[in-house]
Amino acid sequence: MTNGLDIIIAGGGRVGFQTAEILANRDHDVTIIERNERIVSEIADEWIATVIEGDATNPEIIEQAGIERADTIAALTGETGLNLAVCLAASELDPGIRTIARIGRAAGTAYTRFVDAVLFPERAGARVAANEIAGSDVQTLADVTGDLDIMLVRVAEGAPAAGKQLTEVRFPAGTLVVSDDDGHRVARPDTTLTPGNRYVVAVEPDVADEVMNLMRG
């Protein structure tokens, strides 16, 4: 694979599976570690990723998943403590790997001292998680009070909104494009969403995936 990343996802539940599906469709090489035998069988039937049954905090399982060649490990189980343990174990085995942990809302951003990025997928869906895992094209600038997310989003070539003025894009209610690429002025109705440029966007969690689809495809 020429451009794709090698990504390990710990947790094959709804969030982990949907995230893996998006990443695989973007030609990334995805390996899922899941301890539940039934879920492992369901994922294997979909043929979207390599699936390993086991405990993702077990160094032998992480090594089996190919930690030595992986670019990123994302722990996306429903347990904050387990996700942190997975990332810490991965960092011990490969200090250069990028670590991402799904954490509960109550934990806030306290865990950013131990991992490279945190996700709140109960507020922002699998597409946002996939974008965070894949790299720098979408960055959360601030996790503000309440549920609103402020993000820096790079417009992808070929995305539905690419090359259009804001007045031409049907963003869902709960979306505000705050500033254009250089950040020196607030976005106007005639601001054009130029492919390759980045824009500051405020989104409510229930429309985050739709906004990502418009701007990233």
Side-chain angles (χ1 to χ4, degrees):
M1 190 168 302
T2 53
N3 297 318
L5 298 173
D6 197 311
I7 298 164
I8 298 171
I9 292 179
R14 181 183 60 82
V15 172
F17 177 80
Q18 290 177 357
T19 302
E21 196 169 32
I22 292 169
L23 290 168
N25 287 338
R26 295 179 185 173
D27 292 330
H28 296 296
D29 190 359
V30 182
T31 300
I32 297 175
I33 303 174
E34 170 57 49
R35 59 188 175 185
N36 184 301
E37 183 179 356
R38 177 185 59 79
I39 294 176
V40 168
S41 297
E42 291 174 356
I43 297 171
D45 289 343
E46 295 288 339
W47 290 97
I48 65 159
T50 301
V51 190
I52 295 173
E53 183 179 344
D55 179 357
T57 61
N58 183 332
E60 292 183 357
I61 295 295
I62 298 178
E63 288 175 337
Q64 186 181 340
I67 187 75
E68 76 285 345
R69 66 176 184 274
D71 299 292
T72 300
I73 186 166
L76 303 180
T77 78
E79 302 173 41
T80 295
L82 177 60
N83 292 338
L84 181 61
V86 169
C87 289
L88 292 175
S91 294
E92 281 291 316
L93 293 170
D94 181 1
I97 197 167
R98 185 164 180 261
T99 55
I100 299 172
R102 174 190 180 188
I103 67 173
R105 180 65 182 159
T109 56
Y111 290 129
T112 54
R113 290 178 295 165
F114 306 108
V115 297
D116 293 313
V118 296
L119 290 169
F120 303 93
E122 70 273 14
R123 300 192 297 114
R127 190 178 301 276
V128 173
N131 285 331
E132 178 67 62
I133 291 166
S136 61
D137 286 336
V138 179
Q139 301 172 35
T140 298
L141 300 181
D143 189 46
V144 296
T145 302
D147 288 338
L148 199 65
D149 275 328
I150 312 294
M151 297 187 293
L152 187 63
V153 182
R154 189 187 305 276
V155 177
E157 190 77 46
K164 295 181 179 178
Q165 293 183 348
L166 288 181
T167 51
E168 300 175 297
V169 183
R170 296 185 64 181
F171 282 111
T175 309
L176 177 64
V177 179
V178 179
S179 74
D180 55 11
D181 182 54
D182 58 17
H184 294 314
R185 73 173 207 155
V186 172
R188 308 308 205 255
D190 62 352
T191 293
T192 298
L193 297 172
T194 305
N197 287 0
R198 300 190 298 178
Y199 300 83
V200 178
V201 185
V203 295
E204 294 175 2
D206 56 347
V207 299
D209 269 8
E210 187 176 349
V211 173
M212 290 302 102
N213 184 50
L214 286 169
M215 299 186 73
R216 298 291 308 153

